[in-house]
Structure formats: C-alpha cells, structure tokens
C-alpha cells in the first residue's frame, strides 16, 4: 500500500524524468535520484544528508602471482553504507571498472532495497578490480580467498557483521571459495561461520532457488506494476504483460525510473522512521 501511494505520487509529479540525472558518475546519479525523490517527503535536510553518507569504505590491494609468473597488485573494495542495522548485506563483483564511488553507490542502493522490505540489514557492496575473462580459474580462486582473508582480518565479514553474496562476475563457485576461506580462518571462533556469505552451492550450505531469485524478482515486480490499471494509464500503456517487451524501450524506461524513485522515497522513510 505504501509503495502504491508513493508510486502514484511520483508519477503525478513527473518524477520519472531523467533530464536532471544523466550526467556525472554513477554515485552522482544515485544521489541525484535520491535528492529528487526526497523532495516529496517531509524528512529534514540534516537527516537526508546523514542518510546519504557511507559509514565505512575500504580499499586494499591483493598481490597475485599470475600463471605466467608475473606479479600484479589487484585493487579490492568493500563499502558498508549503514551499520546501525547488522549485518550489512550486498554482493561482491569482479569488474575492471569497479572503484570506491561505485561500491558506495551500490551499497547505498542495497540499504534502500533492504528498507523497502523492512529486512534487518544495512547495505553493503564490494568487489575486485579484474576482468574475470582474462584470469584463470586458479587466479580467481586465489584472489577470492585472499580477499576473504583481508576482510576477515579487518572484521569486515561474518554472519553478524557483513554478508557478501554473488554479483557481477561471481556466482556459486566464488561464494563457496569465500565460505571455505572464512571457515578455515575463523571457524573455530564463529559458530555461524558458514553463514558468512549467501549464494553458495547447495552442497556448501546454500539454498535452493537462490540462483534464479534475481530474475524472478524482476518478473514479479514488473508483473505487479503492470497490473496497476491507474499506473499504466498514467504512463500511456495498457495493463498486463502481454506484448509489452517486444523492443518497447519506453515501457522499460518508465518502469525502471519509477521503481528507482519509489525505492528512494520509501527506503528513506523506512530507515529514518517516517511512515
């Protein structure tokens, strides 16, 4: 009910326009959406400024001996956006384009997504700066295990602290490596060490349905939005899914922008205590 009301408010105010947020870094764009959406709330500016800040973000380098014998130092990152709800939760990606601003922006979005469903997690995000297609399986395993150990030494991972999951360039195998590295390093101290990551293989403590959960979430969100007759009329489309996604970029744009703005408003209200 809250989301439906906020969505209609956004649409009535043409809040899904992208004219003001097409420039700058990814973090700049996320902040621009947040600022635009927060204008439709009664939250004071000082609270909004606090909410936009990232609690903790770290960068470190991972030394690696490659298969050809050369030495490289690979940058790695982890951001915890808000830690007053623990554990923090967010994916770990492998991407040559990752940087501090990107993990800050993504951890911010994770906080908002968790808030919408009132999940007891703060937002987090991290990753390693490589193109996984240009690294061997052994090299990636070495990096994932070393990344996990560095996070553990800094008290940046654990079932009650920060729980990474799969993201761009990672999946069950990478999460299983992280779980194995953490349990070997801290399993004697942490009875819940297997819960240090999500998205593991089922035989490593994972759960059924995790691999397809993201795609199913997109389907259900799209189906619910397109079942709202008044919403569809306001953006000039017919209700229902039938025939909607045959190269119809307008529908995708309206859906994505309106959902993003809804997340911004509702997430801010939930986390700061406004109902």
């Amino acid at each position: 009910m809250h989301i439906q009301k906020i969505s209609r408010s956004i649409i009535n105010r043409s809040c899904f326009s992208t004219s003001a947020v097409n420039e700058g870094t990814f973090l700049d764009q996320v902040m621009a959406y947040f600022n635009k959406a927060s204008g439709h709330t009664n939250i004071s500016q000082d609270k909004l400024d606090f909410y936009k800040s990232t609690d903790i973000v770290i960068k470190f380098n991972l030394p690696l001996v490659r298969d050809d014998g050369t030495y490289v130092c690979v940058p790695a990152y982890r951001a915890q956006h808000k830690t007053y709800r623990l554990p923090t939760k967010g994916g770990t990606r492998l991407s040559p384009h990752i940087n501090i601003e990107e993990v800050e922006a993504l951890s911010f979005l994770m906080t908002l997504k968790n808030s919408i469903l009132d999940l007891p997690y703060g937002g987090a995000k991290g990753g390693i700066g490589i193109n996984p297609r240009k690294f061997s399986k052994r090299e990636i395993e070495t990096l994932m295990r070393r990344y996990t150990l560095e996070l553990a030494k800094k008290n940046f991972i654990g079932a009650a602290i920060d729980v990474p999951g799969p993201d761009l360039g990672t999946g069950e195998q990478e999460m299983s490596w992280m779980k194995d590295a953490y349990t070997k390093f801290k399993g004697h101290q942490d009875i819940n060490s297997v819960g240090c990551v999500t998205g593991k293989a089922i035989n490593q403590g994972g759960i059924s349905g995790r691999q397809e959960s993201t795609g199913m979430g997109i389907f259900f969100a799209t189906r619910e939005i397109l079942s709202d007759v008044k919403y569809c009329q306001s953006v000039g489309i017919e209700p229902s899914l039938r025939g909607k996604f045959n190269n119809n970029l307008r529908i995708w744009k309206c859906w994505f922008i309106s959902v993003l703005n809804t997340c911004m408003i509702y997430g801010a209200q939930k986390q700061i205590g406004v109902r």
Side-chain angles (χ1 to χ4, degrees):
M1 182 60 69
H2 286 288
I3 294 179
Q4 290 177 344
K5 290 181 179 179
I6 296 170
S7 296
R8 294 186 181 115
S9 175
I10 293 169
I11 294 165
N12 291 337
R13 293 172 174 82
S14 299
C15 203
F16 51 82
S17 171
T18 60
S19 58
V21 292
N22 283 333
E23 298 181 357
T25 65
F26 180 40
L27 180 60
D28 292 334
Q29 293 176 17
V30 170
M31 292 302 175
Y33 274 118
F34 180 82
N35 291 336
K36 193 169 187 179
S38 62
H40 301 292
T41 71
N42 59 356
I43 303 172
S44 62
Q45 188 59 47
D46 59 331
K47 291 181 179 179
L48 292 172
D49 291 339
F50 163 77
Y51 188 66
K52 289 188 291 185
S53 64
T54 302
D55 283 358
I56 311 171
V57 58
I58 59 172
K59 175 188 176 183
F60 48 93
N61 291 316
L62 304 175
L64 174 68
V65 180
R66 301 209 60 179
D67 292 341
D68 61 4
T70 58
Y71 289 76
V72 293
C73 279
V74 179
Y77 309 86
R78 188 71 182 174
Q80 296 175 353
H81 177 250
K82 289 301 171 195
T83 56
Y84 53 83
R85 278 188 168 185
L86 290 176
T88 53
K89 184 76 186 76
T92 299
R93 59 178 50 191
L94 301 180
S95 168
H97 308 296
I98 194 170
N99 54 45
I100 285 182
E101 285 198 342
E102 181 175 281
V103 295
E104 284 193 56
L106 292 168
S107 66
F108 186 9
L109 294 176
M110 283 302 303
T111 297
L112 294 172
K113 289 190 287 184
N114 291 331
S115 301
I116 289 171
L117 295 178
D118 203 19
L119 300 176
Y121 306 125
K125 189 70 73 169
I128 302 173
I130 64 167
N131 182 347
R133 296 182 179 181
K134 296 183 179 180
F135 284 72
S136 69
K137 182 177 180 179
R138 182 203 68 82
E139 292 170 336
I140 293 175
E141 178 180 358
T142 300
L143 288 171
M144 296 304 301
R145 290 180 178 275
R146 183 60 184 267
Y147 179 73
T148 306
L149 292 178
E150 291 299 325
L151 292 178
K153 288 191 292 184
K154 297 170 175 59
N155 204 33
F156 241 67
I157 185 173
I161 301 169
D162 187 355
V163 182
D167 203 274
L168 180 68
T170 59
E172 289 184 348
Q173 179 64 82
E174 289 76 18
M175 295 304 104
S176 296
W177 286 331
M178 291 186 71
K179 186 273 297 184
D180 186 61
Y182 181 81
T183 54
K184 287 180 177 178
F185 183 66
K186 279 203 168 181
H188 64 291
Q189 297 176 329
D190 184 359
I191 193 173
N192 297 312
S193 60
V194 175
C196 65
V197 296
T198 58
K200 307 176 289 289
I202 293 177
N203 63 4
Q204 296 295 313
I207 60 174
S208 299
R210 173 61 183 84
Q211 190 169 6
E212 59 270 25
S213 61
T214 301
M216 289 186 67
I218 293 174
F219 168 75
F220 287 128
T222 305
R223 185 186 67 180
E224 291 304 307
I225 289 174
L226 292 178
S227 67
D228 188 321
V229 176
K230 291 184 178 180
Y231 174 87
C232 292
Q233 290 175 346
S234 67
V235 295
I237 59 177
E238 293 294 325
S240 84
L241 287 169
R242 180 171 297 179
K244 290 293 190 301
F245 302 105
N246 298 326
N247 299 320
N248 197 331
L249 296 180
R250 169 177 164 75
I251 294 174
W252 278 109
K253 181 179 178 180
C254 290
W255 171 78
F256 176 76
I257 300 301
S258 61
V259 169
L260 181 58
N261 278 281
T262 298
C263 291
M264 294 295 186
I265 292 178
Y266 191 66
Q269 290 179 330
K270 293 285 284 186
Q271 285 289 61
I272 297 179
V274 178
R275 294 294 186 269

